[in-house]
């Protein structure tokens, strides 16, 4: 279920699931392999200071308030007051659903610059082990990359393994918004890659999809979000076969979707463990989410598409060489993610993944998997290639938007 290529055998997976049963009681009482963030993290310190501060004689709002209330708060501020808050509390404003998008971009540039300075110092800190200094150097490189050019960083939190999201296109003016939800081993260091694996990482996936959508509908007002803003399982272990992190991520995803500007239609593109998260989120999705497309899915924690309880159309694809096909589709005591979305009995619209290579090749240019994602993203449903000759994935869709 990793975002990158791996080849666990069926035997290994069955052994893992068997061992997992031993720990089911621990799992159901909240056990997780993910380390908790320390209260002394920069973001926690910023949140504490934010809660005590005031502006214009008024207290600052609770960061957990609904997005519409936070949006109203920022609308009452002058431009100067907004900028002052972003510059003073970048780790708060940059992650605040409801804050103006461009203000979040500004805040996150400040937060990245501050985090980069911290990592520069850590690379020279002789109190750290060699591995610690190497990790600092890797984080320094990542933060430097995210600061290059005019990149639009929608969220950024360097705490722990880190979280982030990046936007391609004009999110404020978009008529269609696509959100890429990646899987296992997603963190700040795996956010982007170069070379042959570029389109296997969240940023590469989103950039590739954005380009394909622009090609599918030239001049279209689309935006794509590389959403790596949740705590994903680290490796193929207990957290990867449980739903706890997907449930936490689903809350974060729905908060993002509720805060998106404008009235654009939204499509979700969920890869591997990201499809588990999307399945859990489905019940609470805003009505503006029109489509959920999953690739390389181990299951959506539902018996069938109807059990997702969503108005969104559900699409599914899997490459013939994807090792995820060897993962048992089971759900026992919270272990496993349930039915296979590309099984016709599940009820999803099964589309072609022709050209994709293995588990991480769905966003490669020139593949039918990417062109199908792009067609779904811009609403060009007539252009979607079904996996079956009878064209059943087009059922009950009256045409599609012109391209």
């Amino acid at each position: 279920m990793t975002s990158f290529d791996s080849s666990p055998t069926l035997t290994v997976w069955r052994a893992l699931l068997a061992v997992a049963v031993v720990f089911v009681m621990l799992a159901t009482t909240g056990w997780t392999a993910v380390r908790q963030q320390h209260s002394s993290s920069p973001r926690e310190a910023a949140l504490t200071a934010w809660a005590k501060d005031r502006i214009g004689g008024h207290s600052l709002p609770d960061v957990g308030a609904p997005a519409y209330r936070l949006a109203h708060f920022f609308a009452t501020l002058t431009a100067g007051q907004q900028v002052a808050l972003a510059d003073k509390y970048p780790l708060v404003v940059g992650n605040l659903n409801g804050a103006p998008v461009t203000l979040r971009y500004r805040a996150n540039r400040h937060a990245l610059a501050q985090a980069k300075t911290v990592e520069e110092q850590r690379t020279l800190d002789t109190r750290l082990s060699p591995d610690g200094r190497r990790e600092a150097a890797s984080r320094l490189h990542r933060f430097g990359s995210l600061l290059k050019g005019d990149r639009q960083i929608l969220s950024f939190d360097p705490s722990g393994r880190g979280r982030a999201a990046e936007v391609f296109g004009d999110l404020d003016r978009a008529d269609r918004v696509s959100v890429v939800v990646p899987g296992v081993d997603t963190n700040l260091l795996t956010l982007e890659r170069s070379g042959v694996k570029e389109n296997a990482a969240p940023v590469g996936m989103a950039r590739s999809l954005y380009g394909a959508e622009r090609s599918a509908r030239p001049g279209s007002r689309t935006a794509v979000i590389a959403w790596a803003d949740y705590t994903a399982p680290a490796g193929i272990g207990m957290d990867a076969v449980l739903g706890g992190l997907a449930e936490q991520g689903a809350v974060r995803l729905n908060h993002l979707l509720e805060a998106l500007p404008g009235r654009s239609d939204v499509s979700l593109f969920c890869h591997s463990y990201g499809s588990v998260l999307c399945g859990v989120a489905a019940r609470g999705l805003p009505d503006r989410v029109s489509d959920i497309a999953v690739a390389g899915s181990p299951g959506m924690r539902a018996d069938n598409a109807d059990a997702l309880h969503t108005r969104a159309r559900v699409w599914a694809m899997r490459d013939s060489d994807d090792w995820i096909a060897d993962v048992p589709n089971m759900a026992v005591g919270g272990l496993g993610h349930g039915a296979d979305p590309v099984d016709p009995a599940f009820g999803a619209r099964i589309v072609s993944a022709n050209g994709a290579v293995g588990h991480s090749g769905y966003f490669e240019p020139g593949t039918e998997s990417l062109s199908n994602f792009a067609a779904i993203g811009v609403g060009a449903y007539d252009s979607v290639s079904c996996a079956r000759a009878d064209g059943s994935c087009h059922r009950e869709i009256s045409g599609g938007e012109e391209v």
Side-chain angles (χ1 to χ4, degrees), residues 184-367:
V184 163
D185 282 333
T186 294
N187 56 62
L188 281 175
L189 294 184
T190 61
L191 183 65
E192 56 186 354
R193 300 183 78 177
S194 57
V196 295
K197 293 297 183 181
E198 177 181 358
N199 298 319
V203 166
M205 291 177 180
R207 184 187 291 116
S208 182
L209 178 58
Y210 180 63
E213 289 184 354
R214 296 296 297 272
S215 295
R217 176 189 279 175
S220 61
R221 295 195 300 183
T222 66
V224 180
I225 302 173
W227 190 76
D229 195 23
Y230 80 104
T231 300
I236 301 180
M238 283 293 295
D239 281 329
V241 297
L242 296 170
L245 295 182
E247 291 170 3
Q248 296 171 23
V251 173
R252 296 182 65 83
L253 177 61
N254 279 327
H255 284 170
L256 166 77
L257 298 174
E258 291 163 359
L260 290 177
R263 298 182 178 180
S264 54
D265 286 336
V266 178
S267 300
L268 304 180
F269 297 91
C270 317
H271 178 242
S272 196
Y273 188 85
S275 69
V276 182
L277 189 159
C278 289
V280 175
R283 183 186 297 267
L285 292 175
D287 289 342
R288 68 193 296 184
V289 178
S290 58
D291 299 276
I292 305 172
V294 303
S297 174
M300 301 180 73
R301 301 192 77 82
D303 292 333
N304 51 59
D306 288 341
L308 294 172
H309 299 290
T310 178
R311 297 180 181 180
R313 287 174 285 268
V314 181
W315 310 78
M317 66 171 71
R318 185 174 66 218
D319 178 60
S320 59
D321 292 329
D322 191 336
W323 58 257
I324 207 77
D326 292 331
V327 176
N329 289 105
M330 56 172 285
V332 179
L335 300 167
H337 304 305
D340 186 349
V342 297
D343 184 335
F346 186 81
R349 301 169 188 274
I350 307 173
V351 299
S352 172
N354 189 38
V357 180
H359 188 59
S360 62
Y362 293 97
F363 290 83
E364 289 294 332
T367 61

Side-chain angles (χ1 to χ4, degrees), residues 21-374:
V21 173
V22 177
F23 298 100
V24 67
M25 293 306 295
L26 288 172
T28 56
T29 55
W31 178 85
T32 177
V34 176
R35 295 178 181 175
Q36 299 299 315
Q37 294 182 5
H38 296 295
S39 59
S40 59
S41 72
R43 177 164 161 75
E44 289 297 326
L47 288 169
T48 299
W50 170 279
K52 298 176 180 178
D53 207 350
R54 300 172 68 85
I55 191 167
H58 299 285
S59 299
L60 301 183
D62 183 348
V63 295
Y68 72 89
R69 291 185 182 175
L70 294 170
H72 174 74
F73 165 75
F74 281 98
T76 66
L77 302 180
T78 66
Q81 288 174 321
Q82 290 184 5
V83 168
L85 282 180
D87 292 353
K88 185 176 182 180
Y89 297 107
L91 282 172
V92 178
V93 177
N95 295 285
L96 206 55
N97 290 320
V101 168
T102 53
L103 192 66
R104 292 179 67 172
Y105 297 159
R106 177 190 179 96
N108 285 319
R109 288 196 69 82
H110 279 288
L112 277 161
Q114 292 174 0
K116 183 171 178 284
T117 298
V118 170
E119 298 305 331
E120 286 174 340
Q121 296 170 349
R122 292 183 70 237
T123 61
L124 304 174
D125 190 344
T126 57
R127 295 171 298 178
L128 294 178
S129 67
D131 284 345
R133 291 196 294 275
R134 278 191 291 270
E135 180 185 21
S138 296
R139 287 167 65 90
L140 175 61
H141 174 75
R142 174 65 62 245
F143 300 160
S145 175
L146 294 174
L147 281 166
K148 289 181 179 177
D150 56 354
R151 297 181 68 168
Q152 301 176 141
I153 307 304
L154 185 64
S155 62
F156 170 71
D157 182 358
S159 306
R161 292 188 293 128
R163 298 190 289 241
E166 182 172 8
V167 175
F168 297 89
D170 189 337
L171 192 57
D172 280 318
R173 299 180 63 249
D175 294 322
R176 306 279 306 199
V177 173
S178 298
V179 182
V180 175
V181 183
V184 163
D185 282 333
T186 294
N187 56 62
L188 281 175
L189 294 184
T190 61
L191 183 65
E192 56 186 354
R193 300 183 78 177
S194 57
V196 295
K197 293 297 183 181
E198 177 181 358
N199 298 319
V203 166
M205 291 177 180
R207 184 187 291 116
S208 182
L209 178 58
Y210 180 63
E213 289 184 354
R214 296 296 297 272
S215 295
R217 176 189 279 175
S220 61
R221 295 195 300 183
T222 66
V224 180
I225 302 173
W227 190 76
D229 195 23
Y230 80 104
T231 300
I236 301 180
M238 283 293 295
D239 281 329
V241 297
L242 296 170
L245 295 182
E247 291 170 3
Q248 296 171 23
V251 173
R252 296 182 65 83
L253 177 61
N254 279 327
H255 284 170
L256 166 77
L257 298 174
E258 291 163 359
L260 290 177
R263 298 182 178 180
S264 54
D265 286 336
V266 178
S267 300
L268 304 180
F269 297 91
C270 317
H271 178 242
S272 196
Y273 188 85
S275 69
V276 182
L277 189 159
C278 289
V280 175
R283 183 186 297 267
L285 292 175
D287 289 342
R288 68 193 296 184
V289 178
S290 58
D291 299 276
I292 305 172
V294 303
S297 174
M300 301 180 73
R301 301 192 77 82
D303 292 333
N304 51 59
D306 288 341
L308 294 172
H309 299 290
T310 178
R311 297 180 181 180
R313 287 174 285 268
V314 181
W315 310 78
M317 66 171 71
R318 185 174 66 218
D319 178 60
S320 59
D321 292 329
D322 191 336
W323 58 257
I324 207 77
D326 292 331
V327 176
N329 289 105
M330 56 172 285
V332 179
L335 300 167
H337 304 305
D340 186 349
V342 297
D343 184 335
F346 186 81
R349 301 169 188 274
I350 307 173
V351 299
S352 172
N354 189 38
V357 180
H359 188 59
S360 62
Y362 293 97
F363 290 83
E364 289 294 332
T367 61
E368 280 195 2
S369 53
L370 180 61
S371 63
N372 278 334
F373 277 167

